[in-house]
Amino acid sequence: MLNVKVKTSRYLDLPQRHLNSSKRSQSLHMKRTMYHSADRMVERKLIFQKRQYLADFALGTAVASILVMVLYFELAMAGITDKNSGYSLALKVMISLSTLILVGLIIAYHTVEVQLFSVDNCVEDWRIAMSWRRLSQLALEIVVCAIHPIPGDFSFPWLTIHYNGITVTEPQVPIDVLLSLPMFLRLYLIGRVMLLHSRLFTDASSRSIGALNRINFNTRFVLKTLMTISPGTVLLVLMLSLWVIASWTLRLCESYHDDRHKNILNSIWMIAITFLSIGYGDIVPNTYCGRGIAIIVGVMVSL
């Protein structure tokens, strides 16, 4: 009888043992999940900071390359340096090196974007994050950032019929003029840096509220927020930036055809009267390049 009771008690204890074992395994699984989530959060924070640094370095490199390009043309148009001199070659080499660094930073930035996507979605294979949209964006940014004046002396005849329909000029214009104008497109990186450093984007509570309300935090949303908070400052900065860039690019396009545009003040005056929709007509663009810049300025003001 004693042996029967012992065996019966053992059989009765089996469900309880199985329940305790199940609880222990669930507890271990929860701890592992928590540790894994904590590791993912730390890794995500490090990747996010790395993405900010890459965006900052890319913007700094882009601005530096644009400033060197402006310095190169200013020295050439002022007659201080010749386009075949060693100083001009050194400046072009600096532009090429900065462009190469910028392209590398752009590729590194998108690599970090893929890593961040993999961490957020628990994806092991990085190829899942490589969508056609991401590849197209990467290719477009590389093309935009890769255009720059190349070392060497290359020119082409630029035939232009002036505004009066009578005067025709065909000077030999350096090809650097056409390769330098797209370099200002690199300033799109300002919007990326503004987004990554915005409190709306970095603050976890703001992102949580935005996710609940299906708000997409992008550059456009950040600009709208800044326009709401301080519209005067934002408009002033945008207008002055557009004014300066448009004036210099207009001078670059027109100075080889009209000596009046060699003076930067005349180009600033023309952009100002176009910007204010006055249009006195005392100074006008002759090339299609200058006319295109004037049209862009007019459209930007109307918007």
Side-chain angles (χ1 to χ4, degrees), residues 43 46-48 50-52 54-55 102-119 123 125-127 129-130 134-135 137-139 141-142 192:
E43 184 179 4
L46 293 176
I47 294 175
F48 191 87
K50 186 178 180 180
R51 183 173 65 167
Q52 284 184 333
L54 287 173
L102 178 60
V103 172
L105 290 172
I106 294 297
I107 296 174
Y109 176 84
H110 284 277
T111 302
V112 172
E113 282 276 332
V114 172
Q115 293 177 358
L116 189 60
F117 178 87
S118 301
V119 171
V123 175
D125 192 356
W126 59 270
R127 290 174 293 183
M130 299 303 294
R134 190 183 298 276
L135 290 173
Q137 182 181 356
L138 175 60
E141 289 190 25
I142 290 176
R192 177 175 293 172

Side-chain angles (χ1 to χ4, degrees), residues 62-99:
V63 172
S65 63
I66 292 173
L67 292 177
V68 174
M69 180 268 295
V70 172
L71 177 63
Y72 165 76
F73 276 103
E74 288 296 326
L75 293 176
M77 287 189 288
I80 299 176
T81 60
D82 185 71
K83 57 184 178 181
N84 295 321
S85 64
Y87 294 105
S88 298
L89 180 60
L91 291 175
K92 281 191 175 182
V93 170
M94 290 176 61
I95 296 173
S96 298
L97 289 177
S98 61
T99 299

Side-chain angles (χ1 to χ4, degrees), residues 2 107 178 252 262 293:
L2 183 60
I107 296 174
L178 299 181
L252 186 62
K262 289 184 178 180
I293 294 171

Side-chain angles (χ1 to χ4, degrees), residues 75-240:
L75 293 176
M77 287 189 288
I80 299 176
T81 60
D82 185 71
K83 57 184 178 181
N84 295 321
S85 64
Y87 294 105
S88 298
L89 180 60
L91 291 175
K92 281 191 175 182
V93 170
M94 290 176 61
I95 296 173
S96 298
L97 289 177
S98 61
T99 299
L100 185 62
I101 295 172
L102 178 60
V103 172
L105 290 172
I106 294 297
I107 296 174
Y109 176 84
H110 284 277
T111 302
V112 172
E113 282 276 332
V114 172
Q115 293 177 358
L116 189 60
F117 178 87
S118 301
V119 171
D120 289 340
N121 296 276
C122 300
V123 175
E124 298 295 335
D125 192 356
W126 59 270
R127 290 174 293 183
I128 298 176
M130 299 303 294
S131 61
W132 283 108
R133 181 179 180 181
R134 190 183 298 276
L135 290 173
S136 301
Q137 182 181 356
L138 175 60
L140 180 61
E141 289 190 25
I142 290 176
V143 171
V144 168
C145 295
I147 301 175
H148 69 285
I150 57 177
D153 184 12
F154 306 98
S155 59
F156 66 99
W158 193 344
L159 179 64
T160 299
I161 302 175
H162 287 229
Y163 67 96
N164 55 16
I166 301 174
T167 308
V168 178
T169 56
E170 192 177 3
Q172 289 291 326
V173 179
I175 198 172
D176 299 335
V177 174
L178 299 181
L179 295 176
S180 299
L181 293 176
M183 288 187 65
F184 286 99
L185 296 176
R186 301 180 181 186
L187 296 178
Y188 79 92
L189 293 169
I190 295 176
R192 177 175 293 172
V193 172
M194 288 175 57
L195 174 65
L196 293 178
H197 287 277
S198 173
R199 290 186 178 181
L200 295 173
F201 190 78
T202 57
D203 188 39
S205 59
S206 299
R207 291 181 62 86
S208 300
I209 295 173
L212 292 174
N213 293 276
R214 298 181 180 180
I215 297 175
N216 185 18
F217 287 99
N218 51 20
T219 306
R220 183 179 179 183
F221 180 80
V222 172
L223 285 176
K224 285 184 177 180
T225 306
L226 291 176
M227 285 290 293
T228 304
I229 297 174
S230 54
T233 304
V234 175
L235 286 176
L236 181 62
V237 171
L238 289 177
M239 288 172 59
L240 291 178

